[in-house]
Amino acid sequence: MQRSTEKSKLLLARAEQVIPRAAQTLSKAPDQFVRGVSPYAIARGEGCRVWDVDGNEYIDLVSSLGAIVLGYRHPVIEEAVVRQRARGTLFSIPGDLEVELAEQIIKRIPFIESVRFGMNGSDVTTAAIRVARAFTGRDHVAKCGYHGWADWSIATHPLRSKGIPQAVKELTHEFSYNKLDTLRKIFEDHPNQVAAVILEPVSAVSPEPGFLEGVRDLAHEHGAVFIFDELVTGFRLALGGAAEYFNVTPDLVCYGKAISNGEPLSVLGGRKDLMSVLDGQDVFFSFTYAGYLPSLAASLATLEFMDAHPVQKTLWERGKQMMQGYRTLAETTGVPTSVIGLGPHPIFQFKKPDGGDDLALKSLFIQETAKQGILTNCSNLVNYSHTEGDIQEVLSRMEEVFRVMAGAVNRNAVEASLEGPMIRPRSKPAS
Ligand SMILES: Cc1ncc(COP(=O)(O)O)c(C=O)c1O
């Protein structure tokens, strides 16, 4: 396939002069892709396809880290946003859509009694922790997974916790997914001091039977608030996210991404007695763009669209189709790779025999998929615009990717086959 990435290279050179790490989001940084081969920047998107600044077309498997759930420039959402823009984006007192969206969310998700809005996931995960601390009068937090860039959350990051005060780090404790004992130990080490237990309900792997219930029960037994971070799973696994899918109810829940198809919005919701902490005079959660109206309009339109279309069911089907095809390619070519995760979030894995990440093979995969017009960072979040035919096209394009990888593996020349530097380790801690 004839393709040029000249404009990407020039734009990246300019970016490096003015933007640290040349990106606003770490997982979009050029060092997560193969420089010179992968595109640096995207110019436009439509459905499940995007075009880079050189005009190369890609089937996008990442869907803006899951923020795009229906598709780029989805006509229904676009229309709702344009309509709202014509009325105004933000006012000096609440906009009229705030109540409407709050009611629509509460109507759909039975355990939510009241909600507040944010823009990014970090806004609401951090608000959830503040509410839990204010409610319990305790300071410590037990967490599992990634919850955004705030100090309390990044305190346990294995690579990037510089800049966070030691005093803050001492209050956050990481427990391991599917290992209840690691959570139990945190409660033993900090009796009556843990305010909140927050976790991503689905990690790279699924919860073992009883794990989520066990986390809930331990949290409650020890008087801590039980919080689901459903930034990825909300409105994706099921309309009511992992809570609905696994039938485990948190005290507080955090949503974002899929709730508004690419317009910035996050939501904190849950039990009224907890949420009413935010009614008081002594807890602060407030910022200029909370209630940004185009986002609320997009979310109302997204929810309405989800009522009328089998969105989540389709995400499962497309993801499973891709996982099945990927497994077949790996088996038939003998390339040491696997795919894990659930249908709506399939993750391609490249592991060395010692269990560590095989960044060289992952880099080669990312390089070759880019050449074949597939945009992936290996953490795939399919969207409703991916048709069965699109996934089939991805799998056919991947035949060449696997052929190249198999050749490189057999010749022991994976690194030598890279046309740019190897990707850097992911910013997210493995959970
Ligand atoms: C599970 C989870 N929680 C929280 C966040 C933070 O959201 P944001 O980057 O919008 O602040 C993310 C972002 O990827 C996430 O995946």
Side-chain angles (χ1 to χ4, degrees):
M1 200 182 281
Q2 196 63 31
R3 65 196 281 281
S4 159
T5 55
E6 282 316 301
K7 287 187 182 158
S8 255
K9 286 182 199 156
L10 289 172
L11 198 60
L12 173 52
R14 279 170 57 199
E16 284 176 328
Q17 298 304 311
V18 290
I19 301 172
R21 217 170 159 188
Q24 312 301 330
T25 308
L26 290 185
S27 56
K28 298 181 187 178
D31 57 31
Q32 295 302 298
F33 297 89
V34 179
R35 194 186 181 101
V37 182
S38 296
Y40 164 60
I42 298 298
R44 70 184 182 91
E46 189 91 38
C48 66
R49 289 169 200 252
V50 295
W51 286 262
D52 71 12
V53 288
D54 289 278
N56 301 306
E57 180 193 304
Y58 302 85
I59 299 178
D60 180 359
L61 297 180
V62 186
S63 305
S64 295
L65 315 177
I68 298 295
V69 68
L70 301 182
Y72 293 101
R73 299 195 60 227
H74 191 280
V76 172
I77 310 310
E78 192 140 291
E79 206 246 305
V81 170
V82 167
R83 207 176 336 116
Q84 183 56 43
R85 283 193 172 282
R87 298 169 60 213
T89 59
L90 198 65
F91 298 116
S92 312
I93 58 174
D96 53 359
L97 297 187
E98 289 186 28
V99 183
E100 179 65 18
L101 181 58
E103 287 173 350
Q104 291 302 326
I105 293 170
I106 290 166
K107 196 171 106 184
R108 284 168 177 78
I109 304 180
F111 69 88
I112 298 184
E113 294 176 314
S114 74
V115 298
R116 282 285 304 268
F117 302 130
M119 295 285 272
N120 286 293
S122 303
D123 296 340
V124 291
T125 55
T126 300
I129 296 304
R130 184 166 297 170
V131 165
R133 283 174 163 160
F135 188 81
T136 58
R138 301 170 174 184
D139 287 342
H140 288 255
V141 171
K143 67 173 279 289
C144 177
Y146 176 72
H147 311 294
W149 76 281
D151 279 5
W152 71 268
S153 159
I154 277 318
T156 55
H157 196 291
L159 296 178
R160 296 178 212 287
S161 63
K162 209 168 168 183
I164 296 167
Q166 188 57 30
V168 174
K169 288 185 186 173
E170 283 164 15
L171 298 176
T172 300
H173 314 280
E174 189 83 29
F175 64 98
S176 302
Y177 196 77
N178 274 338
K179 293 194 176 127
L180 274 181
D181 276 352
T182 60
L183 176 59
R184 210 170 274 120
K185 172 118 184 25
I186 294 171
F187 283 117
E188 276 164 20
D189 291 347
H190 306 279
N192 302 319
Q193 294 172 69
V194 178
V197 176
I198 182 168
L199 81 160
E200 288 185 73
V202 179
S203 172
V205 291
S206 301
E208 280 167 10
F211 173 67
L212 295 176
E213 293 84 346
V215 173
R216 176 198 60 202
D217 294 348
L218 271 178
H220 288 165
E221 210 175 290
H222 292 274
V225 178
F226 173 51
I227 306 165
F228 269 172
D229 174 347
E230 296 234 35
L231 261 294
V232 172
T233 48
F235 302 87
R236 175 166 280 276
L237 289 197
L239 188 79
E244 178 185 323
Y245 186 74
F246 295 110
N247 195 22
V248 175
T249 302
D251 302 320
L252 291 176
V253 65
C254 305
Y255 300 119
K257 299 192 190 243
I259 199 171
S260 47
N261 201 52
E263 300 296 323
L265 178 69
S266 55
V267 174
L268 170 68
R271 262 175 34 204
K272 205 159 202 160
D273 59 333
L274 285 161
M275 291 297 290
S276 63
V277 162
L278 296 171
D279 269 340
Q281 296 298 314
D282 48 1
V283 177
F284 202 95
F285 177 54
S286 164
F287 44 96
T288 307
Y289 284 100
Y292 182 66
L293 288 157
S295 300
L296 305 191
S299 185
L300 282 165
T302 302
L303 295 182
E304 210 173 292
F305 188 89
M306 286 175 173
D307 287 344
H309 300 84
V311 174
Q312 288 78 22
K313 181 172 170 279
T314 306
L315 302 185
W316 275 92
E317 284 171 8
R318 299 290 178 267
K320 281 185 178 169
Q321 182 192 350
M322 188 162 72
M323 292 171 87
Q324 218 162 34
Y326 189 93
R327 281 193 187 115
T328 304
L329 284 168
E331 273 160 29
T332 51
T333 57
V335 173
T337 177
S338 57
V339 55
I340 57 168
L342 296 173
H345 187 190
I347 302 166
F348 302 146
Q349 248 193 358
F350 298 88
K351 291 282 182 200
K352 293 182 187 154
D354 69 4
D357 287 331
D358 189 340
L359 286 182
L361 192 57
K362 184 176 176 182
S363 303
L364 185 60
F365 176 78
I366 285 180
Q367 169 182 296
E368 295 302 316
T369 43
K371 284 188 190 168
Q372 294 302 320
I374 302 167
L375 189 64
T376 178
N377 60 12
C378 295
S379 178
N380 305 289
L381 291 144
V382 286
N383 73 59
Y384 188 64
S385 292
H386 286 109
T387 63
E388 204 179 327
D390 290 321
I391 300 297
Q392 197 43 55
E393 195 176 334
V394 166
L395 293 168
S396 328
R397 292 182 189 191
M398 276 193 192
E399 283 175 18
E400 174 62 11
V401 174
F402 274 80
R403 195 191 62 73
V404 173
M405 285 197 297
V409 168
N410 292 338
R411 284 181 283 113
N412 207 7
V414 172
E415 270 194 68
S417 306
L418 293 178
E419 295 165 33
M422 209 188 287
I423 58 174
R424 294 224 311 233
R426 278 300 297 266
S427 54
K428 263 188 173 184
S431 51

